[in-house]
Amino acid sequence: MLQSITDKDGVKRYLITLKVNGDAKTVLVKGNAILTNVLRDHLDLTGTKKGCELGDCGSCTVLLDGKPVDSCLMLAVEADGREITTIEGVAANGALDAIQESMINHAAVQCGYCTPGMVLSAKALLTRNPHPTEPEVREAIAGNLCRCTGYVHIVEAVLAASQGRTAPAEH
Amino acid sequence: MSDNHKVIGRSVPRIDGPEKVTGAAKYTGDLKFPNMLYGKILTSPHAHARIISIDTSEAEKLPGVKAVITHKDVPELKYGLSPARWDENIFCIDKVRFVGDKVAAVACVDEDTCYRAMKLIKVEYEELPAVLDFRHAMDEGQPLVHEEYERNINTEIHQEFGDVAKALAEAHHVRTDVFVGQRTYQAPIEPHSAISMWEGEKLTIYSSTQSPHYFQYYIAREFGMPMGDVRIIKPYLGGGFGGKLEPTGLEFAGAVLAKRTGRPVRTFYDRAEMFAHNRGRHAQYMEITTGVDKDGKILAAKANFIMDGGAYTSLGIASAYYAGALLPMTYEFDNYQFDMFRVYTNLPACGAQRGHGAPQPKYAFESHLDNVAADLGIDPMDIRIRNARRPDTVTPNDFRVNSCMMRECLEQVRQISDWDEKKKNLPHGRGIGVATGSFVTGAGYPIYRTDLPHAAAFIKVHEDGTAATLYTGSVDIGQGSDTILCQMAAEAMGYRYEQMKIVAADTEITPLDFGAYASRQTYMSGAAVKQAGEEVKKQLLDLASTMLSLPADDLECAEGVIFSKSREGKTLTFEEVARKHFVLKGPLLGRGAYTPPKLGGSFKGAAVGTSPAYSFGAQVGEVSIDEETGEITVVGIWDVHDCGKVINPRLLHGQVHGALYMGMGESVWEEVLFDDKGRIKNAELANYRLLTAVDMPPIQSEVVNSYEPTGPWGVKEVGEGATNPTLGMFSNAIFDAMGVRVNSLPLTYEKVWRALKEKREREETKAA
């Protein structure tokens, strides 16, 4: 049972603990607070982007117990006690993950607004399926809309990372 | 031309890559300031209504509400993008003109309170009949969107070059076709937002904008402020595609709310509000007539268009001119007539979307040209090669074309797509189509009348020579301009890209640049950057000449090393000479500016479509149609571009892929739909139907070896030009697969299915 407090106007807030990028963070949130807003506004993890708030664009993708979810479709209270990885938790000790390196080197990043979500979806794919086929890569990132790249370089970057190389064969 | 460049021409990684892949990159909506408030704009629920009264008293009483403003609290001065028609107000005064028109705004301690406050603002409306169908907006008895514009005509254009009637009368074959283009939306993934704050009389706005300079100009004009008291800063920007070029209302409302409350105010649009603000591609009715000789050589063309402008002008006058101006670009003919009406309707305003005005007319003309080719029994590729524009020519509407490899693009795309083989042997239900496109490399004239340079740049070499910072007003909206301008700066200075830093798009710190629109930055900003870099290099070589006791013209600098051209071993590093310069002479700075030459003819509207250089391209697409369902599967796309010298190949091809993605969406899926009250039916990314990674076909993009003599190192544009052929290319591929033409965009499965059904019925009737 979550601990809660009710203010004088009758608004109830819940005390939840999110395990974000390895650290336990305790925050007081309203029952209707979406996870995206709690990450961005309470914890200042603004790498998680807001693009639609309807689960259409995937910009707000985070990993919940290792699985990619649209954090705009999830209430923060539902995430109580669970492991969350945001884009800020992907590079370890300042060293980029192979998928991040590969995305840079393949010019898979343009405006970059979809990139955090894209990186997390790709990372989740490579964790569960280290050697995906091209259709599997496309399927895995189909929930992450990118308006800039046509997905060509993104798919190349993910496939290259899965093959242990992060630099492209020159175009 | 020599091609011994050290930095340009290489696919260096993006300068902002690490920030973007780690989530460290801060977009406007990610910024937070102490004591910041949240602001929202209340919009109209009606397409057309008179405002009887606005009562904000209940909203003002709500705890957490810090300010509520309406038209009474802001300047009445009308604004817009195109000075020829300033027709918008910060908030509506007498009436609202579309669902989503701006009525009032609130500033509150948090977002939730904003929504509660907006519900408490009572606006009494008297609903008016609305104009929702642009094709009837000019009819007698239609209500007027703006009283001062008779028959709802926002702008009309009538141009004739050569003698069209005579050429058509003498032609071997004359054909007329009608096509309709749909309303689309840029749909950048980052929604608009702005943060406004005041320090005394100085206003600073962080904004998701494609042109900080124009914003600074509009804000200063609207509030009667000197431009020096307005600072616009563009943080990282999540895509624009033309949609972030103009005032959204967020900045004006935010500035007033911030002044009123004495606190920073963040204003923002959600996704549905983005759709309502719109400014995307106009819906367009296009009638085209062409006369050709027996070999398919075009003798004359006549374009008769109507555009749905929506409730305001936006950049629509330019869109209207562009629609006709760029039509005679890829093919050579002398006789050309263009008539256009852009009309007001009670729908969101339309503006500039990637390819500005050109993709739909290109769709119409390219579809029409295939019909002409079919009439004459000529291969669609052959008719295009026969008519292809040549270098060093002038279009009938007086646009000078320097470099042009239109023919080479067609020949190369013919080869890489295996056109000839496929044209003969594709199975039933499969089709292949070709189309061409061209676009300006920067507009020849700015949006408002001024003699200021179009682009400028500074470079500062740091005291110890270990880094150089480029200061530019140009705007990286995702296309990669920060990266390629740093490559160009390093090349010009003889420096290393890896040691470049950049400060861009802050009107207080960086020199003037008109920003990211009309595909201008690599060419125009690049020209300014090259000049700035060369000024740095000249100063370095002059000093090195003294240090080495060698004449300066014997010295060269490349990749951070200064060396003698005649004596081996006589070298200095860039760093040591730069440091010496600082010690002896103070800061090592370079400056550059670019102003285009006077361009174009003297007829009305001659300025729109002028450019110092034009890109060209050709695309082939292959599709497969399921005759039972009308489903279109795109088998592949081949693209060949003439975009001059390539600065960063991977970034360039990324732009082409994105252009094809947007063009493919517009061809088959994307459309903004309205109900009979003028409300958007699909103001979400899922129902607007942006393509996912699964929907994209294989793409092969190539460039021809081109050089534009007027551009820095020979560059031209690619980012918008690559969208221009796509709609026509799909139309032609689908026509080839079905043997019947769908005459309106998007070419949906349903329309394809219906066209096939009608074709079958016609054939059955004929057989019976």
Side-chain angles (χ1 to χ4, degrees):
Chain A
M1 189 64 183
L2 287 173
Q3 267 187 287
S4 67
I5 58 164
T6 304
D7 68 19
K8 62 177 172 48
D9 297 323
V11 178
K12 201 171 183 180
R13 287 184 172 77
Y14 299 87
L15 196 64
I16 60 168
T17 300
L18 306 174
K19 291 179 191 160
V20 186
N21 303 329
D23 296 329
K25 303 277 186 180
T26 301
V27 280
L28 195 59
V29 300
K30 285 202 235 174
N32 66 356
I34 60 170
L35 183 58
T36 316
N37 288 348
V38 171
L39 292 170
R40 289 173 55 82
D41 299 339
H42 291 240
L43 303 178
D44 286 332
L45 295 167
T46 53
T48 303
K49 302 299 178 205
K50 276 211 285 197
C52 68
E53 296 176 81
L54 288 170
D56 292 336
C57 74
S59 306
C60 66
T61 302
V62 299
L63 303 185
L64 186 76
D65 298 330
K67 293 202 177 100
V69 296
D70 288 323
S71 63
C72 75
L73 294 184
M74 182 156 199
L75 295 175
V77 289
E78 292 178 275
D80 180 48
R82 300 174 73 176
E83 295 272 357
I84 294 165
T85 305
T86 71
I87 189 64
E88 289 88 349
V90 175
N93 302 322
L96 297 181
D97 188 87
I99 185 73
Q100 292 172 313
E101 287 275 2
S102 190
M103 296 274 267
I104 296 172
N105 292 334
H106 285 84
V109 179
Q110 288 192 24
C111 85
Y113 204 77
C114 74
T115 304
M118 200 66 87
V119 166
L120 286 162
S121 289
K123 188 156 174 63
L125 167 72
L126 297 187
T127 305
R128 70 170 188 274
N129 177 3
H131 302 291
T133 62
E134 182 179 327
E136 285 168 348
V137 172
R138 289 183 180 272
E139 184 81 34
I141 61 167
N144 296 86
L145 294 177
C146 170
R147 191 56 158 166
C148 299
T149 63
Y151 307 104
V152 179
H153 286 162
I154 296 175
V155 172
E156 276 179 34
V158 179
L159 284 171
S162 76
Q163 291 154 9
R165 55 188 176 84
T166 56
E170 202 48 65
H171 184 94
Chain B
M1 64 223 74
S2 76
D3 199 10
N4 55 354
H5 304 303
K6 304 294 184 194
V7 191
I8 61 168
R10 283 172 41 207
S11 295
V12 301
R14 286 183 76 102
I15 201 159
D16 51 7
E19 284 71 27
K20 285 181 171 174
V21 298
T22 55
K26 295 276 182 284
Y27 298 73
T28 305
D30 299 335
L31 301 175
K32 208 184 243 186
F33 292 89
N35 211 22
M36 189 174 81
L37 296 170
Y38 296 75
K40 284 297 289 181
I41 294 177
L42 178 73
T43 61
S44 159
H46 304 296
H48 200 190
R50 202 169 302 290
I51 298 173
I52 308 294
S53 65
I54 307 175
D55 179 359
T56 59
S57 56
E58 287 301 311
E60 280 159 25
K61 282 184 223 158
L62 183 73
V65 174
K66 301 297 174 189
V68 185
I69 55 172
T70 68
H71 67 88
K72 293 186 184 129
D73 306 290
V74 301
E76 279 189 22
L77 186 66
K78 285 188 173 169
Y79 71 88
L81 191 60
S82 173
R85 303 275 190 287
W86 303 97
D87 58 6
E88 286 189 69
N89 283 105
I90 298 178
F91 298 117
C92 298
I93 298 173
D94 300 322
K95 64 175 190 174
V96 291
R97 294 183 172 83
F98 72 96
V99 178
D101 215 350
K102 301 175 288 290
V103 176
V106 298
C108 309
V109 289
D110 56 28
E111 207 177 321
D112 285 359
T113 310
C114 289
Y115 294 111
R116 284 212 297 280
M118 287 198 293
K119 280 190 184 154
L120 296 174
I121 299 174
K122 292 190 183 63
V123 187
E124 196 184 341
Y125 294 103
E126 177 199 340
E127 272 194 75
L128 299 169
V131 185
L132 300 176
D133 182 349
F134 76 99
R135 286 162 68 179
H136 294 289
M138 291 186 286
D139 292 357
E140 280 301 319
Q142 284 286 307
L144 293 179
V145 179
H146 295 264
E147 276 70 17
E148 57 274 41
Y149 290 94
E150 284 176 24
R151 293 174 59 219
N152 289 312
I153 297 170
N154 169 254
T155 194
E156 64 182 287
I157 303 167
H158 306 285
Q159 295 179 337
E160 187 178 348
F161 309 97
D163 190 339
V164 174
K166 180 167 176 281
L168 290 179
E170 290 169 359
H172 167 73
H173 178 64
V174 176
R175 183 182 170 110
T176 300
D177 284 306
V178 170
F179 299 91
V180 179
Q182 86 282 38
R183 175 188 281 253
T184 60
Y185 169 54
Q186 295 95 351
I189 305 296
E190 178 208 21
H192 281 290
S193 65
I195 300 173
S196 308
M197 61 191 78
W198 294 81
E199 293 162 272
E201 293 308 305
K202 186 178 159 192
L203 171 64
T204 298
I205 303 179
Y206 291 81
S207 173
S208 45
T209 171
Q210 292 182 233
S211 174
H213 170 78
Y214 284 131
F215 266 56
Q216 182 190 25
Y217 175 80
Y218 301 133
I219 298 274
R221 179 186 169 277
E222 188 68 10
F223 295 117
M225 297 168 68
M227 278 176 80
D229 278 350
V230 180
R231 179 182 187 184
I232 309 292
I233 303 169
K234 180 224 64 128
Y236 285 97
L237 191 83
F241 316 106
K244 290 178 180 163
L245 187 55
E246 55 191 296
T248 55
L250 292 174
E251 295 80 4
F252 294 131
V256 175
L257 290 168
K259 185 80 175 174
R260 183 66 69 94
T261 59
R263 294 167 67 169
V265 177
R266 176 201 287 169
T267 47
F268 54 98
Y269 282 153
D270 64 22
R271 183 53 61 181
E273 289 163 343
M274 290 284 285
F275 272 91
H277 172 68
N278 204 260
R279 317 291 155 134
R281 199 169 322 285
H282 297 67
Q284 196 165 176
Y285 169 90
M286 298 168 284
E287 183 191 275
I288 292 189
T289 301
T290 298
V292 292
D293 73 10
K294 62 181 177 12
D295 299 320
K297 179 88 191 75
I298 301 168
L299 304 173
K302 205 159 104 171
N304 189 10
F305 295 172
I306 306 170
M307 267 183 162
D308 176 4
Y312 297 104
T313 300
S314 175
L315 201 54
I317 295 178
S319 316
Y321 276 104
Y322 265 119
L326 296 182
L327 205 58
M329 192 54 71
T330 64
Y331 306 120
E332 287 186 10
F333 51 91
D334 297 330
N335 305 295
Y336 177 53
Q337 184 179 334
F338 172 53
D339 295 284
M340 158 72 86
F341 289 93
R342 183 185 191 265
V343 296
Y344 282 118
T345 57
N346 291 114
L347 295 174
C350 295
Q353 181 169 338
R354 194 176 205 159
H356 196 184
Q360 287 182 354
K362 226 13 191 158
Y363 148 75
F365 194 78
E366 293 289 317
S367 303
H368 170 73
L369 190 59
D370 260 29
N371 290 349
V372 171
D375 291 346
L376 299 179
I378 300 176
D379 181 292
M381 191 66 84
D382 290 335
I383 200 169
R384 287 173 172 80
I385 292 175
R386 202 158 293 161
N387 286 289
R389 180 161 297 284
R390 289 160 300 168
D392 300 314
T393 50
V394 179
T395 67
N397 45 344
D398 274 348
F399 299 159
R400 169 155 290 284
V401 173
N402 312 308
S403 61
C404 172
M405 299 182 81
M406 188 64 261
R407 186 192 173 103
E408 289 80 355
C409 288
L410 282 161
E411 282 167 349
Q412 192 167 329
V413 83
R414 173 180 219 149
Q415 189 242 320
I416 64 170
S417 66
D418 206 5
W419 172 274
D420 292 326
E421 191 58 29
K422 285 178 178 161
K423 198 71 192 156
K424 279 182 272 171
N425 298 326
L426 278 185
H428 184 74
R430 284 277 269 262
I432 188 162
V434 60
T436 62
S438 172
F439 201 62
V440 298
T441 302
Y445 294 85
I447 291 173
Y448 69 93
R449 199 178 284 260
T450 176
D451 57 0
L452 290 167
H454 289 216
F458 310 144
I459 297 171
K460 179 186 88 172
V461 180
H462 292 247
E463 294 76 13
D464 61 357
T466 57
T469 302
L470 170 63
Y471 294 82
T472 167
S474 70
V475 183
D476 197 327
I477 61 175
Q479 82 283 44
S481 62
D482 283 0
T483 303
I484 60 108
L485 292 176
C486 282
Q487 284 182 267
M488 291 168 112
E491 184 72 44
M493 284 190 288
Y495 203 44
R496 281 182 285 266
Y497 166 75
E498 294 74 15
Q499 286 164 276
M500 288 302 303
K501 317 284 174 197
I502 184 163
V503 174
D506 176 338
T507 59
E508 188 94 344
I509 299 172
T510 64
L512 167 69
D513 189 299
F514 288 139
Y517 68 97
S519 291
R520 54 184 296 289
Q521 292 192 161
T522 307
Y523 184 100
M524 295 186 178
S525 312
V529 166
K530 181 170 187 273
Q531 195 185 346
E534 285 167 353
E535 192 176 305
V536 169
K537 184 155 100 175
K538 182 177 184 313
Q539 294 171 78
L540 277 178
L541 296 188
D542 283 349
L543 183 55
S545 158
T546 313
M547 290 165 75
L548 289 170
S549 300
L550 286 169
D553 59 10
D554 180 46
L555 299 177
E556 183 52 271
C557 182
E559 294 183 286
V561 179
I562 295 165
F563 57 92
S564 161
K565 287 187 268 191
S566 63
R567 300 188 197 193
E568 216 173 310
K570 283 281 197 181
T571 63
L572 289 167
T573 65
F574 186 104
E575 283 83 351
E576 61 191 309
V577 182
R579 188 178 181 286
K580 191 80 170 171
H581 187 284
F582 203 91
V583 171
L584 297 176
K585 302 181 179 184
L588 177 52
L589 302 169
R591 297 174 309 155
Y594 173 80
T595 303
K598 188 179 170 349
L599 297 163
S602 54
F603 55 92
K604 185 167 185 243
V608 186
T610 56
S611 178
Y614 297 89
S615 70
F616 295 88
Q619 289 172 358
V620 166
E622 184 181 344
V623 300
S624 159
I625 309 274
D626 182 329
E627 296 208 1
E628 291 297 310
T629 62
E631 190 173 344
I632 301 159
T633 304
V634 180
V635 180
I637 304 176
W638 296 264
D639 173 283
V640 178
H641 254 80
D642 162 13
C643 45
K645 167 77 184 170
V646 177
I647 302 297
N648 186 316
R650 276 200 86 81
L651 287 182
L652 178 131
H653 289 290
Q655 286 260 289
V656 173
H657 301 154
L660 283 166
Y661 168 78
M662 190 171 271
M664 184 170 154
E666 286 189 56
S667 301
V668 188
W669 282 276
E670 296 178 28
E671 181 171 24
V672 182
L673 298 164
F674 296 91
D675 70 9
D676 60 2
K677 300 279 186 196
R679 294 175 298 215
I680 303 177
K681 289 203 281 190
N682 58 341
E684 317 92 23
L685 296 174
N687 292 319
Y688 177 71
R689 310 195 71 185
L690 285 191
L691 276 67
T692 73
V694 173
D695 303 313
M696 283 304 287
I699 293 172
Q700 184 180 351
S701 72
E702 302 287 346
V703 291
V704 289
N705 186 17
S706 165
Y707 181 88
E708 166 57 40
T710 64
W713 292 288
V715 306
K716 291 198 287 189
E717 83 83 43
V718 73
E720 293 188 80
T723 303
N724 283 342
T726 313
L727 286 63
M729 175 266 281
F730 274 111
S731 171
N732 290 337
I734 291 166
F735 173 61
D736 189 47
M738 305 201 298
V740 60
R741 177 78 65 182
V742 176
N743 280 3
S744 69
L745 293 168
L747 305 156
T748 61
Y749 301 170
E750 186 187 335
K751 287 184 196 165
V752 166
W753 172 81
R754 202 167 290 284
L756 284 169
K757 179 168 168 273
E758 285 164 6
K759 182 187 167 205
R760 253 193 318 269
E761 285 166 0
R762 274 198 306 275
E763 283 164 358
E764 280 162 14
T765 313
K766 212 189 275 176

